[in-house]
Amino acid sequence: MDVAYRCLNPSCPKQLERLLVHFASRGAMDIEGLGESVVGELLDKKLVKDLADIYFLKKEQLLDLDLLQIKRRIIY
């Protein structure tokens, strides 16, 4: 018998994380570079508290993310 744990709290950080990853996925908004790691960093740094917050992120905030800095160094 398998047990599936579910968080019913709409403010649950893991629910928000999964929502953001799905929203950015190819099947939804197809936001390149916004994968699980970047979403995790956005949440850890409290730059995103709900789905709408991704529309208010500034370029400088994104460039300050550790994962995007690494990616930028590889590209340039």
Side-chain angles (χ1 to χ4, degrees):
M1 176 179 190
D2 292 331
V3 177
Y5 293 99
R6 289 180 174 64
C7 180
L8 302 177
N9 178 2
S11 299
C12 174
K14 283 296 181 187
Q15 277 201 12
L16 177 58
E17 181 179 352
R18 296 306 310 150
L19 176 66
L20 286 168
V21 169
H22 171 72
F23 184 77
S25 70
R26 184 171 291 156
M29 295 298 291
D30 195 17
I31 303 174
E32 186 177 334
L34 190 58
E36 290 182 32
S37 300
V38 174
V39 166
E41 192 172 351
L42 288 170
L43 293 172
D44 289 344
K45 292 188 176 194
K46 301 192 183 339
L47 294 174
V48 175
K49 294 182 184 87
D50 63 32
L51 185 61
D53 286 343
I54 63 171
Y55 290 108
F56 298 102
L57 290 170
K58 306 283 185 229
K59 180 180 179 180
E60 297 78 27
Q61 291 174 304
L62 294 172
L63 293 176
D64 284 342
L65 295 177
D66 297 333
L67 292 168
L68 294 182
Q69 286 180 357
I70 292 168
K71 196 179 232 183
R72 197 169 87 190
R73 280 188 219 126
I74 293 170
I75 293 172
Y76 296 111

